[in-house]
Amino acid sequence: MRIFLLVICILFITNGVAQNSIKPSELKEDFEYLIGELKSQHQGLYQYLSENQTNRKIDSIQSTLETRQTKVEFYEKLRYLIGLTNEGHTAIELPKWTMIKLGLSKSFLPLSVKFCDENLIIAQNYGKDFEELKRGAKIIAINNKKVDEVLQSLFPLIPTDGFNTTSKKEWIGGLNFSLLYRLVCGKEKNFELQIQNFGNEKVQTIDIPAVRFTKFKTKNAKLPARGFDFNSFTFEQINDSIAYVSIPSFGKDNLDYEKFYQENFKKIDSLNIKHLIIDVQANGGGTEGNENLLFSYLSNKVVKKYKQVTMCPKSYQNNKTKQGYINDQWTLQNNIAKRGEFTLYSDYYSDLGYKNPQNNLIYHGKLYVLISGKTFSGGAEFASLIKMSDRGIFIGEETGVLMREMLVDTRNILHYQIQKLR
């Protein structure tokens, strides 16, 4: 199954004054605890920068903990720390009750956005309706700060694989921009926007009131919405020789992937399709094995997908007795745990019980694969299989995963208690 490191941050505050802020000594204690856990359970901390370079960055973040800070302010510093892992599966979250309280405050920019051609584009407005605020408008500045300056303060909070930039530019979009802006720039009642509508050189200034995060709902949308095929599981015959298949996820729990592939490749075979477009530009991954099965419908080759799959010793000790790890033949070798050799190939279907497709359903025609920065994890692994086998032509941009050195770590949920009950 897909394996990754997820850090969940749970805050417990025990005295009256600490409900508003946390003492520097306690901030540092919790910060050092998280660093220790990352060093012992995450392989990415020193993967892309030297230990000295990374430690200097850690010291720089820690130096900001000399004064009392709220939970949200401390969370911002921890996100900078998580960003140093250079591993896009790693995340840290505020506790639910803190997130609810934050979301109920009228302090959010009421826009969803899209990063496109180095520009920040308005996709939707969930706040006050302005005639001059149109879908597709470019944001020039927010509260007298140029967008480039704003983005440079937000990007470090988004962990991505290695030095990949395409996923970061995708993940800054949607509602994330408003949330990250609130986190870094603080509470605002109004936002002065400088915008430029599409096809118009004139820069307009709009003063737009803040909203609660709970306002980000379809019923509150003010601009016309557009749907795209790549966000749903779709098969479409375009003409006599061309077909399109969209697979936006390898982790939809209620979808029988084996049945879905079999039914659609039967159609492809019966329609005598010569050119097949597979769209994984929105595919952020899912359960390991689903991407391998799709590849098996496109090639007779068995490809070695990984050189090795490893995890740190502490993570191995925490998981070694679980049945899935036993089945995958994890062993500890020279102070590093490794997954069984048979799991490194494209015909490994995890514990899903899949069978190889019938030979007559394996597609041998021309193949075109649509990818983007959102193509991540298992989606990017599927793309890597296509690339390694030279099976098709890619259309789009670099995927969000650095496949050459992708960190595949154990799924390990660390319930990290900040301000532990004393």
mmCIF file of all heavy atoms in Angstrom, residues 339-375:
data_model
loop_
_atom_site.group_PDB
_atom_site.id
_atom_site.type_symbol
_atom_site.label_atom_id
_atom_site.label_comp_id
_atom_site.label_asym_id
_atom_site.label_seq_id
_atom_site.Cartn_x
_atom_site.Cartn_y
_atom_site.Cartn_z
ATOM 1 N N ARG A 339 12.423 -3.351 1.902
ATOM 2 C CA ARG A 339 11.263 -4.146 1.496
ATOM 3 C C ARG A 339 11.708 -5.244 0.551
ATOM 4 O O ARG A 339 12.717 -5.108 -0.158
ATOM 5 C CB ARG A 339 10.233 -3.233 0.823
ATOM 6 C CG ARG A 339 8.815 -3.794 0.845
ATOM 7 C CD ARG A 339 7.798 -2.746 0.438
ATOM 8 N NE ARG A 339 7.819 -2.483 -0.990
ATOM 9 C CZ ARG A 339 6.947 -1.681 -1.604
ATOM 10 N NH1 ARG A 339 6.018 -1.066 -0.895
ATOM 11 N NH2 ARG A 339 7.015 -1.475 -2.900
ATOM 12 N N GLY A 340 10.946 -6.335 0.517
ATOM 13 C CA GLY A 340 11.311 -7.499 -0.278
ATOM 14 C C GLY A 340 11.537 -7.187 -1.751
ATOM 15 O O GLY A 340 10.852 -6.336 -2.332
ATOM 16 N N GLU A 341 12.458 -7.902 -2.382
ATOM 17 C CA GLU A 341 12.832 -7.662 -3.777
ATOM 18 C C GLU A 341 11.635 -7.768 -4.712
ATOM 19 O O GLU A 341 11.510 -6.986 -5.662
ATOM 20 C CB GLU A 341 13.913 -8.675 -4.180
ATOM 21 C CG GLU A 341 14.403 -8.593 -5.609
ATOM 22 C CD GLU A 341 15.311 -7.398 -5.872
ATOM 23 O OE1 GLU A 341 15.795 -6.784 -4.898
ATOM 24 O OE2 GLU A 341 15.531 -7.089 -7.059
ATOM 25 N N PHE A 342 10.721 -8.701 -4.456
ATOM 26 C CA PHE A 342 9.596 -8.919 -5.364
ATOM 27 C C PHE A 342 8.648 -7.726 -5.421
ATOM 28 O O PHE A 342 7.877 -7.569 -6.371
ATOM 29 C CB PHE A 342 8.820 -10.178 -4.956
ATOM 30 C CG PHE A 342 7.940 -10.013 -3.730
ATOM 31 C CD1 PHE A 342 6.580 -9.741 -3.856
ATOM 32 C CD2 PHE A 342 8.482 -10.113 -2.449
ATOM 33 C CE1 PHE A 342 5.782 -9.583 -2.743
ATOM 34 C CE2 PHE A 342 7.683 -9.959 -1.330
ATOM 35 C CZ PHE A 342 6.328 -9.691 -1.471
ATOM 36 N N THR A 343 8.706 -6.837 -4.407
ATOM 37 C CA THR A 343 7.810 -5.669 -4.367
ATOM 38 C C THR A 343 8.328 -4.497 -5.196
ATOM 39 O O THR A 343 7.656 -3.471 -5.276
ATOM 40 C CB THR A 343 7.608 -5.182 -2.922
ATOM 41 O OG1 THR A 343 8.825 -4.588 -2.438
ATOM 42 C CG2 THR A 343 7.197 -6.319 -2.001
ATOM 43 N N LEU A 344 9.488 -4.629 -5.790
ATOM 44 C CA LEU A 344 10.122 -3.515 -6.502
ATOM 45 C C LEU A 344 9.727 -3.452 -7.965
ATOM 46 O O LEU A 344 10.143 -2.533 -8.669
ATOM 47 C CB LEU A 344 11.651 -3.632 -6.391
ATOM 48 C CG LEU A 344 12.227 -3.800 -4.974
ATOM 49 C CD1 LEU A 344 13.753 -3.851 -5.039
ATOM 50 C CD2 LEU A 344 11.769 -2.677 -4.047
ATOM 51 N N TYR A 345 8.898 -4.392 -8.423
ATOM 52 C CA TYR A 345 8.607 -4.510 -9.855
ATOM 53 C C TYR A 345 7.162 -4.097 -10.168
ATOM 54 O O TYR A 345 6.300 -4.045 -9.291
ATOM 55 C CB TYR A 345 8.867 -5.946 -10.318
ATOM 56 C CG TYR A 345 10.338 -6.315 -10.270
ATOM 57 C CD1 TYR A 345 10.919 -6.777 -9.098
ATOM 58 C CD2 TYR A 345 11.151 -6.161 -11.398
ATOM 59 C CE1 TYR A 345 12.274 -7.091 -9.035
ATOM 60 C CE2 TYR A 345 12.505 -6.486 -11.351
ATOM 61 C CZ TYR A 345 13.052 -6.944 -10.165
ATOM 62 O OH TYR A 345 14.384 -7.249 -10.120
ATOM 63 N N SER A 346 6.937 -3.845 -11.443
ATOM 64 C CA SER A 346 5.639 -3.317 -11.882
ATOM 65 C C SER A 346 4.514 -4.347 -11.832
ATOM 66 O O SER A 346 3.354 -3.980 -12.010
ATOM 67 C CB SER A 346 5.755 -2.757 -13.304
ATOM 68 O OG SER A 346 6.160 -3.763 -14.215
ATOM 69 N N ASP A 347 4.824 -5.610 -11.591
ATOM 70 C CA ASP A 347 3.761 -6.616 -11.459
ATOM 71 C C ASP A 347 3.434 -6.901 -9.991
ATOM 72 O O ASP A 347 2.794 -7.904 -9.669
ATOM 73 C CB ASP A 347 4.135 -7.911 -12.190
ATOM 74 C CG ASP A 347 5.417 -8.544 -11.676
ATOM 75 O OD1 ASP A 347 6.113 -7.918 -10.841
ATOM 76 O OD2 ASP A 347 5.744 -9.660 -12.117
ATOM 77 N N TYR A 348 3.865 -5.994 -9.104
ATOM 78 C CA TYR A 348 3.530 -6.099 -7.678
ATOM 79 C C TYR A 348 2.224 -5.349 -7.441
ATOM 80 O O TYR A 348 2.118 -4.147 -7.722
ATOM 81 C CB TYR A 348 4.657 -5.500 -6.834
ATOM 82 C CG TYR A 348 4.305 -5.258 -5.388
ATOM 83 C CD1 TYR A 348 4.117 -6.325 -4.507
ATOM 84 C CD2 TYR A 348 4.167 -3.953 -4.883
ATOM 85 C CE1 TYR A 348 3.801 -6.098 -3.178
ATOM 86 C CE2 TYR A 348 3.857 -3.722 -3.560
ATOM 87 C CZ TYR A 348 3.669 -4.799 -2.703
ATOM 88 O OH TYR A 348 3.356 -4.581 -1.389
ATOM 89 N N TYR A 349 1.220 -6.045 -6.929
ATOM 90 C CA TYR A 349 -0.094 -5.444 -6.721
ATOM 91 C C TYR A 349 -0.452 -5.326 -5.241
ATOM 92 O O TYR A 349 -1.630 -5.309 -4.876
ATOM 93 C CB TYR A 349 -1.169 -6.249 -7.451
ATOM 94 C CG TYR A 349 -0.929 -6.375 -8.944
ATOM 95 C CD1 TYR A 349 -1.077 -7.596 -9.595
ATOM 96 C CD2 TYR A 349 -0.540 -5.275 -9.699
ATOM 97 C CE1 TYR A 349 -0.853 -7.716 -10.964
ATOM 98 C CE2 TYR A 349 -0.308 -5.383 -11.061
ATOM 99 C CZ TYR A 349 -0.461 -6.606 -11.686
ATOM 100 O OH TYR A 349 -0.230 -6.718 -13.038
ATOM 101 N N SER A 350 0.566 -5.269 -4.393
ATOM 102 C CA SER A 350 0.365 -5.116 -2.963
ATOM 103 C C SER A 350 -0.540 -6.253 -2.468
ATOM 104 O O SER A 350 -0.383 -7.396 -2.871
ATOM 105 C CB SER A 350 -0.211 -3.729 -2.671
ATOM 106 O OG SER A 350 -0.268 -3.470 -1.292
ATOM 107 N N ASP A 351 -1.502 -5.934 -1.620
ATOM 108 C CA ASP A 351 -2.407 -6.951 -1.084
ATOM 109 C C ASP A 351 -3.771 -6.893 -1.768
ATOM 110 O O ASP A 351 -4.775 -7.331 -1.211
ATOM 111 C CB ASP A 351 -2.572 -6.780 0.419
ATOM 112 C CG ASP A 351 -3.034 -5.383 0.816
ATOM 113 O OD1 ASP A 351 -3.178 -4.525 -0.091
ATOM 114 O OD2 ASP A 351 -3.238 -5.141 2.016
ATOM 115 N N LEU A 352 -3.800 -6.369 -3.008
ATOM 116 C CA LEU A 352 -5.076 -6.136 -3.689
ATOM 117 C C LEU A 352 -5.618 -7.371 -4.409
ATOM 118 O O LEU A 352 -6.778 -7.387 -4.808
ATOM 119 C CB LEU A 352 -4.914 -4.980 -4.689
ATOM 120 C CG LEU A 352 -4.485 -3.645 -4.057
ATOM 121 C CD1 LEU A 352 -4.219 -2.596 -5.134
ATOM 122 C CD2 LEU A 352 -5.544 -3.147 -3.083
ATOM 123 N N GLY A 353 -4.771 -8.373 -4.596
ATOM 124 C CA GLY A 353 -5.242 -9.630 -5.199
ATOM 125 C C GLY A 353 -5.513 -9.561 -6.684
ATOM 126 O O GLY A 353 -6.273 -10.385 -7.218
ATOM 127 N N TYR A 354 -4.921 -8.613 -7.399
ATOM 128 C CA TYR A 354 -5.169 -8.464 -8.834
ATOM 129 C C TYR A 354 -4.499 -9.581 -9.633
ATOM 130 O O TYR A 354 -3.475 -10.129 -9.231
ATOM 131 C CB TYR A 354 -4.631 -7.128 -9.348
ATOM 132 C CG TYR A 354 -5.336 -5.911 -8.820
ATOM 133 C CD1 TYR A 354 -4.660 -4.693 -8.710
ATOM 134 C CD2 TYR A 354 -6.669 -5.947 -8.429
ATOM 135 C CE1 TYR A 354 -5.300 -3.553 -8.245
ATOM 136 C CE2 TYR A 354 -7.308 -4.820 -7.965
ATOM 137 C CZ TYR A 354 -6.617 -3.628 -7.872
ATOM 138 O OH TYR A 354 -7.254 -2.509 -7.406
ATOM 139 N N LYS A 355 -5.091 -9.867 -10.787
ATOM 140 C CA LYS A 355 -4.502 -10.795 -11.752
ATOM 141 C C LYS A 355 -4.040 -9.999 -12.970
ATOM 142 O O LYS A 355 -4.614 -8.957 -13.303
ATOM 143 C CB LYS A 355 -5.529 -11.847 -12.177
ATOM 144 C CG LYS A 355 -5.980 -12.765 -11.043
ATOM 145 C CD LYS A 355 -7.015 -13.761 -11.542
ATOM 146 C CE LYS A 355 -7.477 -14.680 -10.406
ATOM 147 N NZ LYS A 355 -8.517 -15.643 -10.868
ATOM 148 N N ASN A 356 -3.008 -10.495 -13.633
ATOM 149 C CA ASN A 356 -2.545 -9.831 -14.853
ATOM 150 C C ASN A 356 -3.656 -9.854 -15.905
ATOM 151 O O ASN A 356 -4.434 -10.817 -15.979
ATOM 152 C CB ASN A 356 -1.303 -10.525 -15.405
ATOM 153 C CG ASN A 356 -0.081 -10.277 -14.542
ATOM 154 O OD1 ASN A 356 0.051 -9.224 -13.926
ATOM 155 N ND2 ASN A 356 0.811 -11.243 -14.480
ATOM 156 N N PRO A 357 -3.760 -8.815 -16.725
ATOM 157 C CA PRO A 357 -4.831 -8.773 -17.727
ATOM 158 C C PRO A 357 -4.647 -9.829 -18.820
ATOM 159 O O PRO A 357 -3.537 -10.328 -19.041
ATOM 160 C CB PRO A 357 -4.695 -7.365 -18.317
ATOM 161 C CG PRO A 357 -3.281 -6.975 -18.057
ATOM 162 C CD PRO A 357 -2.900 -7.619 -16.766
ATOM 163 N N GLN A 358 -5.743 -10.156 -19.476
ATOM 164 C CA GLN A 358 -5.663 -11.061 -20.627
ATOM 165 C C GLN A 358 -4.830 -10.403 -21.722
ATOM 166 O O GLN A 358 -4.907 -9.198 -21.947
ATOM 167 C CB GLN A 358 -7.066 -11.363 -21.150
ATOM 168 C CG GLN A 358 -7.992 -11.998 -20.134
ATOM 169 C CD GLN A 358 -9.439 -12.052 -20.630
ATOM 170 O OE1 GLN A 358 -9.704 -11.904 -21.816
ATOM 171 N NE2 GLN A 358 -10.361 -12.242 -19.699
ATOM 172 N N ASN A 359 -4.050 -11.210 -22.423
ATOM 173 C CA ASN A 359 -3.140 -10.674 -23.447
ATOM 174 C C ASN A 359 -3.863 -9.853 -24.506
ATOM 175 O O ASN A 359 -3.339 -8.850 -25.001
ATOM 176 C CB ASN A 359 -2.356 -11.814 -24.106
ATOM 177 C CG ASN A 359 -1.254 -12.336 -23.196
ATOM 178 O OD1 ASN A 359 -0.722 -11.598 -22.371
ATOM 179 N ND2 ASN A 359 -0.914 -13.615 -23.338
ATOM 180 N N ASN A 360 -5.065 -10.274 -24.877
ATOM 181 C CA ASN A 360 -5.771 -9.559 -25.939
ATOM 182 C C ASN A 360 -6.271 -8.183 -25.506
ATOM 183 O O ASN A 360 -6.666 -7.359 -26.338
ATOM 184 C CB ASN A 360 -6.960 -10.395 -26.435
ATOM 185 C CG ASN A 360 -8.023 -10.583 -25.362
ATOM 186 O OD1 ASN A 360 -7.744 -11.093 -24.284
ATOM 187 N ND2 ASN A 360 -9.239 -10.176 -25.660
ATOM 188 N N LEU A 361 -6.245 -7.898 -24.194
ATOM 189 C CA LEU A 361 -6.685 -6.589 -23.697
ATOM 190 C C LEU A 361 -5.522 -5.621 -23.484
ATOM 191 O O LEU A 361 -5.740 -4.457 -23.161
ATOM 192 C CB LEU A 361 -7.456 -6.749 -22.384
ATOM 193 C CG LEU A 361 -8.780 -7.510 -22.462
ATOM 194 C CD1 LEU A 361 -9.476 -7.503 -21.105
ATOM 195 C CD2 LEU A 361 -9.693 -6.934 -23.534
ATOM 196 N N ILE A 362 -4.300 -6.098 -23.669
ATOM 197 C CA ILE A 362 -3.148 -5.211 -23.515
ATOM 198 C C ILE A 362 -3.045 -4.330 -24.761
ATOM 199 O O ILE A 362 -2.956 -4.818 -25.880
ATOM 200 C CB ILE A 362 -1.848 -6.011 -23.304
ATOM 201 C CG1 ILE A 362 -1.953 -6.840 -22.018
ATOM 202 C CG2 ILE A 362 -0.643 -5.064 -23.226
ATOM 203 C CD1 ILE A 362 -0.768 -7.753 -21.769
ATOM 204 N N TYR A 363 -3.065 -3.027 -24.529
ATOM 205 C CA TYR A 363 -3.090 -2.061 -25.628
ATOM 206 C C TYR A 363 -1.673 -1.822 -26.158
ATOM 207 O O TYR A 363 -0.754 -1.520 -25.400
ATOM 208 C CB TYR A 363 -3.702 -0.748 -25.139
ATOM 209 C CG TYR A 363 -3.673 0.366 -26.156
ATOM 210 C CD1 TYR A 363 -4.532 0.362 -27.241
ATOM 211 C CD2 TYR A 363 -2.769 1.426 -26.041
ATOM 212 C CE1 TYR A 363 -4.514 1.383 -28.181
ATOM 213 C CE2 TYR A 363 -2.744 2.455 -26.964
ATOM 214 C CZ TYR A 363 -3.613 2.419 -28.037
ATOM 215 O OH TYR A 363 -3.586 3.422 -28.968
ATOM 216 N N HIS A 364 -1.506 -1.938 -27.490
ATOM 217 C CA HIS A 364 -0.183 -1.778 -28.107
ATOM 218 C C HIS A 364 -0.113 -0.592 -29.064
ATOM 219 O O HIS A 364 0.919 -0.389 -29.705
ATOM 220 C CB HIS A 364 0.196 -3.055 -28.862
ATOM 221 C CG HIS A 364 0.341 -4.259 -27.977
ATOM 222 N ND1 HIS A 364 1.409 -4.433 -27.124
ATOM 223 C CD2 HIS A 364 -0.478 -5.346 -27.800
ATOM 224 C CE1 HIS A 364 1.268 -5.575 -26.463
ATOM 225 N NE2 HIS A 364 0.127 -6.145 -26.851
ATOM 226 N N GLY A 365 -1.203 0.207 -29.139
ATOM 227 C CA GLY A 365 -1.213 1.344 -30.056
ATOM 228 C C GLY A 365 -0.459 2.537 -29.511
ATOM 229 O O GLY A 365 0.261 2.455 -28.501
ATOM 230 N N LYS A 366 -0.626 3.669 -30.165
ATOM 231 C CA LYS A 366 0.042 4.898 -29.748
ATOM 232 C C LYS A 366 -0.547 5.385 -28.426
ATOM 233 O O LYS A 366 -1.771 5.377 -28.228
ATOM 234 C CB LYS A 366 -0.128 5.981 -30.814
ATOM 235 C CG LYS A 366 0.523 5.653 -32.156
ATOM 236 C CD LYS A 366 2.039 5.721 -32.070
ATOM 237 C CE LYS A 366 2.663 5.510 -33.454
ATOM 238 N NZ LYS A 366 4.143 5.576 -33.401
ATOM 239 N N LEU A 367 0.335 5.846 -27.543
ATOM 240 C CA LEU A 367 -0.089 6.256 -26.211
ATOM 241 C C LEU A 367 0.398 7.675 -25.903
ATOM 242 O O LEU A 367 1.556 8.016 -26.154
ATOM 243 C CB LEU A 367 0.466 5.295 -25.154
ATOM 244 C CG LEU A 367 0.136 5.612 -23.695
ATOM 245 C CD1 LEU A 367 -1.358 5.465 -23.425
ATOM 246 C CD2 LEU A 367 0.939 4.702 -22.760
ATOM 247 N N TYR A 368 -0.502 8.491 -25.324
ATOM 248 C CA TYR A 368 -0.184 9.858 -24.943
ATOM 249 C C TYR A 368 -0.636 10.039 -23.495
ATOM 250 O O TYR A 368 -1.785 9.733 -23.156
ATOM 251 C CB TYR A 368 -0.893 10.860 -25.849
ATOM 252 C CG TYR A 368 -0.719 10.540 -27.319
ATOM 253 C CD1 TYR A 368 -1.605 9.667 -27.964
ATOM 254 C CD2 TYR A 368 0.344 11.067 -28.051
ATOM 255 C CE1 TYR A 368 -1.449 9.335 -29.300
ATOM 256 C CE2 TYR A 368 0.507 10.744 -29.395
ATOM 257 C CZ TYR A 368 -0.388 9.878 -30.013
ATOM 258 O OH TYR A 368 -0.215 9.548 -31.335
ATOM 259 N N VAL A 369 0.251 10.518 -22.629
ATOM 260 C CA VAL A 369 -0.052 10.635 -21.204
ATOM 261 C C VAL A 369 -0.022 12.109 -20.801
ATOM 262 O O VAL A 369 0.990 12.796 -20.974
ATOM 263 C CB VAL A 369 0.955 9.834 -20.361
ATOM 264 C CG1 VAL A 369 0.611 9.946 -18.878
ATOM 265 C CG2 VAL A 369 0.963 8.362 -20.790
ATOM 266 N N LEU A 370 -1.147 12.596 -20.269
ATOM 267 C CA LEU A 370 -1.257 13.981 -19.812
ATOM 268 C C LEU A 370 -0.849 14.061 -18.351
ATOM 269 O O LEU A 370 -1.400 13.351 -17.501
ATOM 270 C CB LEU A 370 -2.683 14.497 -19.982
ATOM 271 C CG LEU A 370 -3.312 14.370 -21.376
ATOM 272 C CD1 LEU A 370 -4.675 15.057 -21.398
ATOM 273 C CD2 LEU A 370 -2.404 14.950 -22.446
ATOM 274 N N ILE A 371 0.133 14.922 -18.035
ATOM 275 C CA ILE A 371 0.656 15.036 -16.678
ATOM 276 C C ILE A 371 0.748 16.507 -16.267
ATOM 277 O O ILE A 371 0.680 17.401 -17.102
ATOM 278 C CB ILE A 371 2.046 14.378 -16.545
ATOM 279 C CG1 ILE A 371 3.031 15.008 -17.552
ATOM 280 C CG2 ILE A 371 1.964 12.871 -16.711
ATOM 281 C CD1 ILE A 371 4.464 14.517 -17.428
ATOM 282 N N SER A 372 0.894 16.733 -14.960
ATOM 283 C CA SER A 372 1.034 18.090 -14.439
ATOM 284 C C SER A 372 1.762 18.018 -13.105
ATOM 285 O O SER A 372 2.125 16.935 -12.628
ATOM 286 C CB SER A 372 -0.343 18.739 -14.244
ATOM 287 O OG SER A 372 -0.962 18.241 -13.073
ATOM 288 N N GLY A 373 1.928 19.179 -12.468
ATOM 289 C CA GLY A 373 2.526 19.214 -11.143
ATOM 290 C C GLY A 373 1.677 18.534 -10.089
ATOM 291 O O GLY A 373 2.170 18.165 -9.017
ATOM 292 N N LYS A 374 0.395 18.350 -10.376
ATOM 293 C CA LYS A 374 -0.483 17.621 -9.455
ATOM 294 C C LYS A 374 -0.334 16.109 -9.586
ATOM 295 O O LYS A 374 -0.856 15.361 -8.761
ATOM 296 C CB LYS A 374 -1.951 18.004 -9.714
ATOM 297 C CG LYS A 374 -2.367 19.329 -9.100
ATOM 298 C CD LYS A 374 -3.867 19.526 -9.235
ATOM 299 C CE LYS A 374 -4.322 20.796 -8.548
ATOM 300 N NZ LYS A 374 -5.778 20.989 -8.673
ATOM 301 N N THR A 375 0.320 15.665 -10.645
ATOM 302 C CA THR A 375 0.563 14.230 -10.820
ATOM 303 C C THR A 375 1.617 13.834 -9.796
ATOM 304 O O THR A 375 2.803 14.138 -9.944
ATOM 305 C CB THR A 375 1.051 13.923 -12.241
ATOM 306 O OG1 THR A 375 0.159 14.510 -13.189
ATOM 307 C CG2 THR A 375 1.115 12.428 -12.480
#
